[in-house]
Amino acid sequence: MMTRKKVISTLTSIIAFSLVLTVTVSCAKKKDKNEGYEANILAMQDLLLSENLTEEARYGIIRKIATTYLSNKQNAELIVYLTDWVESHPQDKFNAYWLLMVAHSYMQTNEDPMAEFYFERIIKNYQDLEVEGKSVHFLCLENLIKISHNSDSRIKYFNQLINRFPSSVSITEMYMRLAREYENIGEWTKALRTYNMFLEQPDAASIQITDIPDAYNYAKTLIDFNKSPKDWTFRSLASLEAAIREAIYRYQPNRLDAMRSKVNFFAVSWKQDENASTGQVAFSMGNYMHGNRITCDKELIPGPTPNEAYLRTTGWTTMPTWYFYFREVNFPADPDIHGRWEWAGIYIGDML
């Protein structure tokens, strides 16, 4: 009869043997799989040495080799194989496509600078070709826009998409994105011209662009402001405040009307969004001052940023409390105007 100690020893031996057997079988299967995979690659490479292969047949074999590498997540092997092939076969008309696969492989491994290098190389050095119904150059430009963070480069890519592939992109969106890049680098003449081209598109007012909310109003405000005389702006917040207070004190509604911003001036309640207003407010201040004594708080109320401020006023017809909203002008296109202050709107009712 086996003792408890012997039983435990026997069970331990059985478990250890089972683990060894499992590992051995697994390794054997993996080895068989690797050998089969490598044999498949070698067999296809041998096929490439066959005489009288058509270009299409050669394309099919190389693509099969490449996709085999990809399916086994061997991106490094794929890159070495395809770059070597392009180097040694400069006349292969599909070289642009092979380098496209190389660039995609770098993207998959988060090596965007290398991917950008190959996408650029394809566009500069290889004629475009269509593979499976898709333009290789178009795919390169699409991916370059995704991974590039340089505005000068992105401007070049957007212009190429607009000029070379107008039927494959939303021209309206391209104009907006191109204008934003011009704005980023301070090319205001080109930015404003491109914003204007955006506004001229039939779907500009309705288009929804990811990561650019309210694109239409943004562009329209810039263009309208650029075309305006801008004669309602003040050198400083203090000078704007003083002028407003004096006009109210002296009961000069026409002067107040003249001091309002002539681009997107709003009059909304605190629950509304000034950007959702339906165009330039056209009412006369005199309609709401008539027969009333308007007073102002002694101090301005700071805004949510240093570039904003409020002046609380009371005594207006209907809703008696109005907050005049002042803001610093943000318009680098005109250095003489940029940084001045304007009366941009009115919030009606008590502050929330």
Side-chain angles (χ1 to χ4, degrees), residues 213-329:
D214 205 18
Y216 178 79
N217 282 338
Y218 180 83
K220 190 174 187 306
T221 298
L222 277 177
I223 294 301
D224 289 348
F225 191 85
N226 184 59
K227 293 178 179 178
S228 70
K230 311 172 193 63
D231 54 3
W232 64 86
T233 62
F234 285 77
R235 177 177 48 82
S236 66
L237 175 59
S239 59
L240 171 59
E241 178 191 359
I244 293 289
R245 288 182 183 277
E246 183 180 7
I248 290 175
Y249 176 76
R250 294 183 179 279
Y251 200 87
Q252 298 172 323
N254 291 339
R255 187 181 176 193
L256 285 173
D257 288 339
M259 286 190 288
R260 292 194 322 227
S261 170
K262 301 306 182 291
V263 177
N264 279 6
F265 185 89
F266 62 86
V268 299
S269 72
W270 286 99
K271 292 182 179 180
Q272 289 177 276
D273 178 3
E274 67 272 16
N275 294 319
S277 59
T278 56
Q280 182 74 18
V281 171
F283 68 81
S284 170
M285 299 295 288
N287 294 336
Y288 298 89
M289 295 179 74
H290 185 69
N292 298 335
R293 181 174 180 272
I294 311 300
T295 61
C296 306
D297 281 9
K298 292 183 178 180
E299 301 291 337
L300 291 179
I301 300 171
T305 73
N307 314 104
E308 302 167 281
Y310 304 97
L311 175 64
R312 183 178 180 273
T313 64
T314 58
W316 304 94
T317 302
T318 63
M319 296 290 288
T321 303
W322 289 9
Y323 288 81
F324 287 19
Y325 172 64
F326 305 146
R327 70 181 170 204
E328 190 174 22
V329 174

Side-chain angles (χ1 to χ4, degrees), residues 75-302:
N75 291 67
E77 288 80 355
L78 166 71
I79 290 169
V80 170
Y81 177 74
L82 289 180
T83 51
D84 282 351
W85 175 270
V86 170
E87 187 70 25
S88 56
H89 299 82
Q91 302 307 315
D92 187 340
K93 73 175 187 179
F94 294 104
N95 278 345
Y97 182 65
W98 306 139
L99 293 181
L100 179 67
M101 294 187 76
V102 169
H104 273 296
S105 295
Y106 277 119
M107 282 184 68
Q108 289 177 353
T109 54
N110 298 316
E111 297 179 79
D112 287 351
M114 287 300 298
E116 188 170 357
F117 168 81
Y118 277 100
F119 286 132
E120 282 270 17
R121 177 180 168 185
I122 293 165
I123 294 171
K124 289 178 180 177
N125 301 324
Y126 294 88
Q127 289 187 346
D128 195 12
L129 74 154
E130 195 171 279
V131 178
E132 299 178 3
K134 296 180 180 180
S135 157
V136 169
H137 281 196
F138 177 77
L139 294 173
C140 287
L141 289 168
E142 273 197 324
N143 283 289
L144 281 166
I145 286 171
K146 289 179 184 176
I147 64 178
S148 175
H149 301 290
N150 180 279
S151 286
D152 287 319
S153 296
R154 289 170 63 81
I155 286 168
K156 178 175 60 178
Y157 305 146
F158 282 126
N159 274 314
Q160 288 192 58
L161 282 174
I162 291 169
N163 295 325
R164 295 182 57 190
F165 304 101
S167 62
S168 299
V169 296
S170 166
I171 293 295
T172 309
E173 179 177 346
M174 292 299 102
Y175 280 145
M176 170 53 68
R177 295 194 179 279
L178 177 59
R180 292 291 288 266
E181 298 300 336
Y182 280 132
E183 184 179 338
N184 286 341
I185 62 172
E187 288 277 3
W188 279 99
T189 300
K190 292 180 179 178
L192 292 169
R193 182 173 66 242
T194 310
Y195 279 125
N196 201 58
M197 293 166 70
F198 162 79
L199 292 172
E200 290 172 351
Q201 301 306 305
D203 60 336
S206 59
I207 193 170
Q208 300 294 316
I209 302 177
T210 304
D211 69 33
I212 308 180
D214 205 18
Y216 178 79
N217 282 338
Y218 180 83
K220 190 174 187 306
T221 298
L222 277 177
I223 294 301
D224 289 348
F225 191 85
N226 184 59
K227 293 178 179 178
S228 70
K230 311 172 193 63
D231 54 3
W232 64 86
T233 62
F234 285 77
R235 177 177 48 82
S236 66
L237 175 59
S239 59
L240 171 59
E241 178 191 359
I244 293 289
R245 288 182 183 277
E246 183 180 7
I248 290 175
Y249 176 76
R250 294 183 179 279
Y251 200 87
Q252 298 172 323
N254 291 339
R255 187 181 176 193
L256 285 173
D257 288 339
M259 286 190 288
R260 292 194 322 227
S261 170
K262 301 306 182 291
V263 177
N264 279 6
F265 185 89
F266 62 86
V268 299
S269 72
W270 286 99
K271 292 182 179 180
Q272 289 177 276
D273 178 3
E274 67 272 16
N275 294 319
S277 59
T278 56
Q280 182 74 18
V281 171
F283 68 81
S284 170
M285 299 295 288
N287 294 336
Y288 298 89
M289 295 179 74
H290 185 69
N292 298 335
R293 181 174 180 272
I294 311 300
T295 61
C296 306
D297 281 9
K298 292 183 178 180
E299 301 291 337
L300 291 179
I301 300 171

